[in-house]
Amino acid sequence: MPEHQSHSYCLKAPPPASRIEEEMYKGQSGMWSWLFHRISGLGILLFLFIHIVDVSMLSFGPGVYNQSVVLFDYVVVRLLSLALVIAVLYHTFNGIRIMAIDFWRKGSRYQRAMFGIVLAATIIVFIPMAYYIMGPAFQWLTQAPHAATTGH
Amino acid sequence: MNILIRIKRFDPERDSKPYWDEFRVEADPIDRLLDTLNTIKWTMDGTLTFRRSCAHGVCGSDAMRINGRNRLACKVLMRDVGNKVTIEPMLGYAVIKDLVVDMDRFFEKYRSVKPFLITYDNEPGTERLQSQAQREVYDEGTKCILCGACTGSCPSIWGNPDWVGPASIVNAHRFIFDSRDQGAAERLQLLSRKDGVWRCRTIFNCADACPRGIPVTDLIEQVKRAIVYGGPEEA
Ligand code: HEM
Ligand code: SF4
Ligand code: FES
């Protein structure tokens, strides 16, 4: 037993300078819904800046623009697009939930059920969108071998 | 049952940082956690410091973070906490010693919303009558025991100690929605300021933490609507 745990009255040895792990507050669905809402909101904001940059490439002419948007074809960037889609969908549906809590008298009472609906709606709408975003990245799987070598 | 109790401790006269202390205690499943804390204090370590008074969930002095959530130690049964319990002082307050936190600002904010009957008319010759429906409207807020569990569970207060906090709004609601009271406008004015109701992000930690079962977030939302619509809803 470490020294500081010997429970003598008053004259306990000073505790070791051990680091104390902070434990997170065990909030329920409401806390997670808020945390995801803030993270998704900030994530979308980040994309907005990127979007302004990629669209502004047009002012350097179609060549530059076409070259720069090829970026969105990379598999990594397609995966990031998936994250963006999830964030937008969640933020939108949960934003509607928050407004229902704010303006509908029974909103607070049904907030947990509404969170379930938000998650379900996010996933249901996400699946077809994910199919269209990731589909082209897997063309080499579905196409005949000679077509794959021709590339884009 | 034999239970391992981890307590986050801090003595400002001796420690530079809080640390975890551990105790093994024999307890009955229907003991309350407060009984177990008393056993530790009375038979194992007299320096363990916590507040308690009524021991029956009425005075509101023993709110603390039990297994990660704010609860009253006197309302939590040992059989509900498992074989290993973690006890910490509430977040959002300065720790004075061990589980005792500084509630001064909490009560300062409570007083700031004028939690008392305000009337401007001449005193009536008879009682101030109220229908059952009118009484019902603010019933939830009357149950508050000012334990501070809701306020200490709120991420908005962890981020901004100046925010008035859920408990103050609950107690403002108690009078704003009282048909006999005439101070609604001034309270709503106070609560519509920067550190008033709008810092609430409807996280619902407060409603989960309240040992009195008050739907805290719902009351805050009612006050927000009263501000937007220019007054409380009538019964
Ligand atoms: C359909 C579109 C949208 C809806 C319905 C929506 C809804 C909301 C609502 C209701 C809030 C308030 C949250 C609260 O009170 O706790 C909020 C916060 C926020 N939104 Fe949106 N929003 C939308 C689009 C966007 C977009 C496009 C962005 C970024 C460019 C964004 C970024 C944010 C941020 C950063 C916050 C602050 C989060 C916080 O305070 O925790 N939102 N949104
Ligand atoms: S509303 Fe509930 S949690 Fe908040 S101070 Fe009152 S009794 Fe405690
Ligand atoms: S000791 Fe009074 S509320 Fe717990």
Side-chain angles (χ1 to χ4, degrees), chain B residues 63-75:
Chain B
M64 52 188 76
R65 195 145 79 102
I66 299 166
N67 282 345
R69 293 182 177 142
N70 289 355
R71 295 285 182 265
L72 295 180
C74 64
K75 281 194 81 170

Side-chain angles (χ1 to χ4, degrees), chain B residues 1 25 29 56 64 69 76-77 88 95 102-103 107 109 155 157 161 169 174-175 186 216 222 224 226 235:
Chain B
M1 57 200 282
V25 189
H56 289 82
M64 52 188 76
R69 293 182 177 142
V76 171
L77 294 184
E88 297 155 85
V95 176
D102 186 348
M103 304 284 287
F107 285 107
K109 290 177 201 162
I157 211 129
I169 303 172
R174 153 73 185 80
F175 289 97
E186 51 198 281
V216 182
Q222 289 180 29
K224 286 182 188 169

